[in-house]
């Protein structure tokens, strides 16, 4: 089994990276988050990979990750979430990559509002992820720190972020603004958080 590709980034698209190793170009499926973090074409690159063969054999597909932690999260989702193949797991991981630490914390705390408001999952998908992963995600190692620790487990702040996104504000700006407001005052209602946020956005 191949553990990683270490070679030259020949080129990349939003969903694919081609890594040249000893004159052979390997096409690797990636998330858009990985795409944004990859170096320019012609640069050295290392991707941890998972091999996947179609249901009836044949073509081998490769899925690439910049860290072992992302790969571990991908495998957990693919293996444990019902009706989730490799492609769907990559779609989920693309959203989760915003912060593996916050996703892990939200699942452990069964914070459906956080998963919907911050990561953009529907309520149904959020509930499915919590049900499937809540007893197993604690074993996944995550090196990064939580970005929104004061939001995780706080349904009011999660709802406020979701409300701001619904009003048309960018998710990143909404999260940062709510984080700033809650740092100054943690006892605000959803309506108060949104009202204060609108003064900054």
């Amino acid at each position: 089994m191949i553990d990683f590709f270490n070679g030259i980034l020949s080129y990349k698209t939003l969903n694919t990276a081609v890594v040249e190793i000893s004159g052979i170009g390997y096409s690797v499926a990636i998330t858009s988050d990985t795409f944004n973090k990859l170096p320019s074409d012609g640069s050295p690159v290392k991707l941890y990979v998972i091999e996947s063969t179609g249901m009836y054999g044949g073509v081998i597909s490769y899925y690439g990750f910049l860290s072992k932690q992302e790969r571990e999260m991908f495998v957990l989702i693919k293996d444990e979430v019902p009706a989730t193949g490799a492609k769907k797991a990559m779609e989920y991981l693309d959203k989760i990559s915003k912060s593996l630490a916050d996703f892990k914390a939200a699942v452990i705390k069964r914070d459906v509002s956080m998963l919907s408001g911050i990561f953009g999952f529907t309520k149904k998908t959020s509930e499915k992820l919590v049900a499937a992963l809540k007893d197993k995600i604690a074993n996944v190692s995550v090196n990064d720190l939580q970005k929104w620790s004061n939001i995780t487990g706080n349904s009011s702040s999660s709802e406020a972020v979701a409300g701001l996104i619904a009003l048309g504000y960018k998710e990143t700006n909404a999260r940062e603004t709510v984080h700033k407001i809650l740092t100054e005052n943690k006892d605000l209602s959803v309506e108060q958080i949104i009202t204060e946020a609108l003064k900054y956005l």
Side-chain angles (χ1 to χ4, degrees):
M1 183 181 73
I2 297 174
D3 185 58
F4 61 83
F5 288 146
N6 195 351
I8 301 298
L9 180 63
S10 180
Y11 65 89
K12 59 183 177 179
T13 66
L14 189 60
N15 300 308
T16 305
V18 175
V19 182
E20 182 181 346
I21 303 172
S22 301
I24 300 175
Y26 293 89
S27 180
V28 185
I30 58 173
T31 64
S32 59
D33 182 71
T34 294
F35 169 82
N36 292 328
K37 293 176 181 177
L38 284 174
S40 57
D41 294 353
S43 301
V45 68
K46 181 177 182 179
L47 289 174
Y48 296 94
V49 298
I50 286 289
E51 297 178 62
S52 178
T53 306
M55 289 181 63
Y56 305 104
V59 178
I60 295 176
S61 298
Y62 296 104
Y63 295 85
F65 314 90
L66 289 173
S67 70
K68 293 180 180 179
Q69 290 74 35
E70 280 191 342
R71 181 173 65 179
E72 190 178 0
M73 189 71 76
F74 166 82
V75 171
L76 179 69
I77 292 168
K78 180 175 69 68
D79 292 348
E80 301 298 337
V81 179
T84 303
K87 290 184 178 179
K88 177 61 70 174
M90 285 294 275
E91 291 177 15
Y92 289 163
L93 185 66
D94 200 22
K95 296 181 178 182
I96 294 166
S97 294
K98 296 169 185 174
S99 174
L100 295 181
D102 283 296
F103 175 76
K104 179 178 178 179
V107 170
I108 289 174
K109 294 181 178 180
R110 297 160 172 72
D111 191 342
V112 172
S113 295
M114 173 77 166
L115 294 174
S116 300
I118 298 299
F119 295 97
F121 292 111
T122 64
K123 182 180 179 182
K124 182 178 179 180
T125 298
S126 297
E127 291 172 343
K128 181 170 73 170
L129 289 169
V130 168
L133 305 178
K134 65 182 187 299
D135 297 323
K136 299 177 181 179
I137 199 169
N139 296 323
V140 176
S141 354
V142 174
N143 292 334
D144 59 330
L145 299 175
Q146 285 182 246
K147 296 179 181 178
W148 306 290
S149 57
N150 63 337
I151 293 179
T152 306
N154 185 328
S155 60
S156 294
S157 55
S158 299
E159 290 175 24
V161 170
L164 290 168
I165 293 172
L167 289 173
Y169 293 100
K170 290 184 178 180
E171 185 177 333
T172 301
N173 293 339
R175 287 196 306 265
E176 291 175 350
T177 303
V178 169
H179 176 83
K180 179 178 180 180
I181 291 168
L182 290 177
T183 298
E184 298 170 354
N185 190 336
K186 297 181 180 179
D187 300 319
L188 298 177
S189 65
V190 175
E191 293 75 13
Q192 290 171 323
I193 295 171
I194 291 177
T195 299
E196 289 299 314
L198 293 176
K199 297 177 182 178
Y200 294 96
L201 293 170

